[in-house]
Amino acid sequence: MPRTLAADPVRLPALAALPALSALLWCGCESAAVETTTRQMDSASDVALLCALETRHEDGTTTWAGTTMDQCAKDLDGDLFAFVVQRYRGELAAVNLRDRRLLDLDLRQPLSSPVVVGPLPNAIAAAPDGSSLAVANLGDPRPGDDPTNPDGVPFLSIVNPANLLPRISLDAGRPFLSRVPLPVPASNVAYLDATHVVVTLPGLSAVAVVTLGETPVVGPPVVLDPFPLLDPEGDPLPGLGVPWSILVDDVRGRLVVGDRAAPWLAVLTWDDAFALTVAAHAPDPFQLPGPSVAMAIEPPGRGPAGDEPGRWIYAVDGSSRGVMVLDAETLAAIDMSTGDPLEWRNELIVPGLAQDVLLGRIAQDPVPDPADPEPEVMHGTFGFVVSSFGEVFAVDVEDHGNAACWDGAAAGEGSYVESACPRHVLRNGIAGAEGPRWSDEPPSLFQASGAALSYSGAPPDEYPRFHDFGGETAEGDPTWGVLFDTVHPRRAVSQTWIVEYEGVVPWTDGNGGQVGDAGWFRDRAMPFCARGVLAGDILIIKDGPDPLSEATDCSAWGAVGQEAELEYRIVEARADRLLLETVVGADGNTDPLPTRECFPWAVRYEVRVGGRWLVRGEATGFQHHVTVGEDPDPTDDVPGLCIEFPDDAICTPYENCTTEPVDVRCLHDGRATDGVIHKNPFLCFTMDAGTVATPRGMRWELDATGGFAALSVETGSLPVAEALDVTTGTGPALLVVDSSSDGLIRVDLADFTVSDNWP
């Protein structure tokens, strides 16, 4: 329905601004201080977008009616509003994104005032037809303070936007809020349709459907722990003790629920009466890398009919705070290390901790010129990750503005070639970069003692060094015997690269190691396969013995309670444990296998590669290509072995590594041996051995410039949530909520910059 202008079409100023205006008129031209009270957003936790149509009447009043989002996709029809919940104030604020102004929701209060919606509001969702807003409250921290709810009964807040949005009249006090009592507080909420919402109830390990109307009805909670289904062998499946995140997959007709602590999902369906049924435990049979605390699915709309379901689900890993990429059909996690990532782990990793994630389809008008690509102009399908470092990062899924992605002469011509384009990688923020190169300064050799040698001071007949030192690229730049991956130059970041002999495998320095029987060493919090640990690596225990009884003789491992360097070779590397054997250590000693009697407490440890070189960058550079293989003994309840994947046989040889015709072997796990051409995912080299044994810790360092830099924008101190505006009237834009003091921030996706801020 188009906007009706029954009287004067000119917008009137907000009434809350009139006192300030009269104060200015009273002061005249004289300088005088005017004291006033300001209201700012505080501890914002979530945001939802709602479209509404405005009607102005002959008596000067204005009414609003919520509507579907397509009404805001048409210019001049609806107004798009952003509703922001503030956790510790229990308030709801609103911004009109067309007028770019913070609304006065309570005309009885001075200035632009929010309204109270409930205790500790954590999440908000908008009905698909715009008829209501639902707010999930985590619970009343001060039960009894609210005279309307003296017993502190948990409730779901339902907001009527028609009565909440300000009219140009003095009709303050309209009933805009209704409370739906719940058995326990809700952590999240989502709409199944205009009159049915689903809530997560962590206190019951359950989810429930609420039917809205004059008399709302809360359906029976569906308990997810214990899980109501069994595995194919008839054994119980692990449950979701703290259900937290919700994803409504409308096209597939299912509800996906993530847990705050458990690395798996529950899949539910609903019937015509909106009764929930647990359909599956996912993913089957493997668990995810971590728990899913926030999820988003690619919007439907692909295919000839425009009704194909989304293919990808992005989920924030509650353990690593990376972003898991799931196949939306099977809900299995895709190992990012076997694709085209910028990180060594099996997830998308951004600086800081991922707080929220979105997937959306962006259409720029006009279409970006492929002849003059600008990385900040996005046209296609993209993800957006909010980081605790105060930044938002863009993720390439399908860049339809890139001419290289099409088999025609230009972008949009012919068919989109998925294999030719990046997918699920951070977007490069460098426009027209010439590509990565080594700096003019030669590499430096650092000995195991830490002493440095200059490039010319490292005798080639004594120290190991890169083959073909002093070579040049086609552009005449030095290579120092190390070439960047010219096929995927976006992988190289301006940083220092370190090639170290028997270096520490990144992120394997733990402090919760448990010594077991028969040489087993365990740490449930350390995913050894995901970190890239393999058989043949070296485990070093850094704590000496500390027995429970002073009578226990532990002198074979050194002094009690002191630091140590106990070295063991890894015979089997598994998902959460290692099988050890004795080995002659770097100090020439052979330490006996540790025992539980002498090591009853958790110990510190690290894992080093055994007998090989390790490549890493200070920002990126270790990509493991290690996964969990089949369990050789399924009866021992021990996860399968860590294996390299893909293996050498199916690894594509690297081109132009060296001018010499040497048999190429690809080592995707970031390791290399002497005399073998090594292809790390970022660079390529051959290491020639010296005349003396290479000591552990010897390393070469090279500096790279002109490489990849992730496209990002600063959005507050601690952004925690986001919403995507893809309408033509006010978008495309990203609305980011900052839980500190910056309130709501608008990022214009036409140039990926902050265009507005409502603190």
Side-chain angles (χ1 to χ4, degrees):
M1 182 177 68
R3 178 185 300 166
T4 302
L5 298 178
D8 186 358
V10 178
R11 293 184 181 271
L12 297 178
L15 293 179
L18 294 180
L21 179 61
S22 62
L24 291 176
L25 294 176
W26 180 263
C27 291
C29 296
E30 298 180 6
S31 283
V34 179
E35 294 186 1
T36 183
T37 302
T38 60
R39 289 300 305 271
Q40 289 185 312
M41 296 188 197
D42 181 62
S43 64
S45 58
D46 200 10
V47 59
L49 302 182
L50 183 139
C51 183
L53 297 174
E54 177 190 23
T55 302
R56 296 183 180 181
H57 303 278
E58 294 181 355
D59 61 357
T61 62
T62 300
T63 57
W64 293 89
T67 185
T68 57
M69 290 295 291
D70 61 349
Q71 293 296 321
C72 282
K74 303 173 183 178
D75 292 340
L76 302 179
D77 278 3
D79 280 18
L80 189 65
F81 296 88
F83 290 90
V84 182
V85 286
Q86 302 166 73
R87 179 172 299 167
Y88 299 116
R89 284 181 177 173
E91 295 176 340
L92 176 68
V95 173
N96 187 321
L97 296 176
R98 180 186 292 276
D99 293 347
R100 307 285 179 88
R101 60 187 175 92
L102 183 66
L103 301 182
D104 186 7
L105 299 181
D106 191 347
L107 300 180
R108 298 168 297 180
Q109 301 294 330
L111 303 178
S112 297
S113 302
V115 291
V116 176
V117 290
L120 295 179
N122 182 64
I124 183 172
D129 65 349
S131 58
S132 64
L133 295 160
V135 179
N137 302 295
L138 286 176
D140 193 343
R142 296 181 298 275
D145 286 1
D146 184 357
T148 63
N149 187 22
D151 297 329
V153 176
F155 61 87
L156 178 71
S157 302
I158 304 299
V159 177
N160 182 352
N163 287 346
L164 177 66
L165 292 174
R167 312 176 185 188
I168 306 179
S169 61
L170 294 176
D171 52 354
R174 302 181 303 275
F176 66 88
L177 178 68
S178 60
R179 300 176 175 181
V180 182
L182 297 174
V184 295
S187 62
N188 215 327
V189 61
Y191 278 83
L192 298 178
D193 72 356
T195 58
H196 296 86
V197 299
V198 60
V199 293
T200 51
L201 306 173
L204 297 178
S205 301
V207 294
V209 171
V210 179
T211 302
L212 306 181
E214 292 185 6
T215 306
V217 177
V218 180
V222 178
V223 178
L224 302 177
D225 188 21
F227 205 74
L229 300 180
L230 302 177
D231 65 13
E233 286 73 33
D235 296 326
L237 287 165
L240 279 70
V242 191
W244 198 260
S245 57
I246 306 176
L247 181 68
V248 178
D249 190 349
D250 291 314
V251 180
R252 294 181 177 88
R254 66 182 184 180
L255 177 71
V256 182
V257 180
D259 193 88
R260 194 175 187 180
W264 38 76
L265 305 168
V267 180
L268 298 90
T269 59
W270 61 89
D271 58 19
D272 293 340
F274 289 90
L276 294 177
T277 301
V278 179
H281 185 278
D284 184 29
F286 305 108
Q287 69 180 38
L288 299 175
S292 304
V293 296
M295 292 187 289
I297 188 170
E298 179 189 28
R302 301 176 70 254
D307 57 355
E308 290 188 7
R311 299 160 297 168
W312 317 110
I313 292 175
Y314 279 22
V316 174
D317 186 334
S319 296
S320 69
R321 284 294 176 169
V323 176
M324 300 177 287
V325 180
L326 313 182
D327 184 306
E329 193 65 40
T330 64
L331 300 181
I334 299 171
D335 190 349
M336 293 292 97
S337 67
T338 60
D340 184 20
L342 298 175
E343 298 293 338
W344 57 267
R345 287 192 267 189
N346 56 351
E347 301 173 346
L348 287 171
I349 305 296
V350 298
L353 307 177
Q355 303 291 311
D356 196 15
V357 66
L358 273 181
L359 275 168
R361 196 163 288 119
I362 311 299
Q364 298 287 354
D365 186 18
V367 176
D369 182 5
D372 186 21
E374 299 178 68
E376 66 274 10
V377 180
M378 286 167 281
H379 184 69
T381 305
F382 300 91
F384 300 96
V385 182
V386 173
S387 165
S388 62
F389 278 14
E391 294 179 291
V392 175
F393 295 85
V395 181
D396 277 331
V397 179
E398 285 187 341
D399 186 1
H400 285 199
N402 186 347
C405 299
W406 299 84
D407 58 11
E413 295 185 6
S415 301
Y416 185 85
V417 184
E418 295 180 349
S419 61
C421 286
R423 175 178 287 177
H424 313 309
V425 294
L426 295 180
R427 188 170 180 83
N428 195 347
I430 299 179
E434 297 179 357
R437 59 180 296 274
W438 297 117
S439 67
D440 293 332
E441 292 296 325
S444 297
L445 175 66
F446 290 84
Q447 302 181 70
S449 62
L453 292 174
S454 65
Y455 170 69
S456 59
D461 59 343
E462 180 177 350
Y463 294 97
R465 55 196 299 142
F466 302 107
H467 182 74
D468 191 28
F469 260 96
E472 294 183 350
T473 65
E475 293 76 21
D477 295 322
T479 66
W480 319 115
V482 182
L483 297 180
F484 278 111
D485 183 343
T486 56
V487 178
H488 300 105
R490 67 190 309 280
R491 290 169 165 171
V493 183
S494 298
Q495 61 182 306
T496 298
W497 290 89
I498 300 174
V499 183
E500 182 178 0
Y501 189 72
E502 291 193 340
V504 176
V505 178
W507 298 88
T508 61
D509 48 341
N511 56 13
Q514 298 285 342
V515 171
D517 296 325
W520 284 104
F521 182 87
R522 184 173 188 170
D523 187 348
R524 290 185 177 273
M526 177 65 69
F528 289 108
C529 292
R531 297 293 191 258
V533 178
L534 291 170
D537 289 342
I538 301 298
L539 176 83
I540 297 179
I541 296 178
K542 305 177 78 65
D543 288 322
D546 191 7
L548 294 174
S549 172
E550 295 182 358
T552 304
D553 182 12
C554 301
S555 58
W557 294 278
V560 172
Q562 301 297 314
E563 293 186 354
E565 290 284 330
L566 307 175
E567 188 170 333
Y568 305 95
R569 178 184 288 116
I570 298 172
V571 181
E572 290 185 9
R574 298 178 179 244
D576 65 348
R577 69 192 70 185
L578 308 170
L579 181 60
L580 309 177
E581 69 177 7
T582 59
V583 65
V584 178
D587 57 2
N589 298 323
T590 301
D591 300 308
L593 289 176
T595 63
R596 299 175 68 176
E597 290 76 18
C598 289
F599 295 86
W601 317 104
V603 297
R604 297 173 300 140
Y605 65 91
E606 66 184 16
V607 178
R608 290 180 175 268
V609 299
R612 292 194 284 181
W613 296 83
L614 181 101
V615 184
R616 69 184 188 273
E618 60 185 357
T620 60
F622 183 85
Q623 184 179 17
H624 57 81
H625 276 242
V626 177
T627 186
V628 181
E630 294 184 1
D631 191 346
D633 185 6
T635 63
D636 62 5
D637 192 30
V638 179
L641 298 175
C642 304
I643 60 173
E644 289 184 276
F645 179 82
D647 58 26
D648 302 334
I650 61 174
C651 181
T652 304
Y654 184 79
E655 297 178 359
N656 300 325
C657 270
T658 176
T659 57
E660 297 183 6
V662 180
D663 184 26
V664 174
R665 179 189 178 197
C666 295
L667 299 173
H668 287 281
D669 61 354
R671 305 149 183 241
T673 55
D674 291 342
V676 177
I677 291 181
H678 168 74
K679 179 191 174 185
N680 164 274
F682 310 91
L683 48 94
C684 178
F685 63 88
T686 299
M687 183 65 70
D688 292 337
T691 57
V692 297
T694 305
R696 175 182 297 167
M698 177 175 282
R699 68 186 191 274
W700 285 100
E701 294 189 2
L702 307 92
D703 293 324
T705 60
F708 177 90
L711 178 65
S712 64
V713 60
E714 294 185 6
T715 52
S717 302
L718 183 57
V720 293
E722 55 186 335
L724 187 61
D725 174 13
V726 295
T727 66
T728 56
T730 57
L734 195 66
L735 285 308
V736 181
V737 167
D738 178 59
S739 64
S740 181
S741 59
D742 288 317
L744 184 68
I745 301 134
R746 181 184 185 273
V747 178
D748 194 326
L749 295 183
D751 55 9
F752 211 64
T753 58
V754 173
S755 59
D756 284 285
N757 176 212
W758 299 272

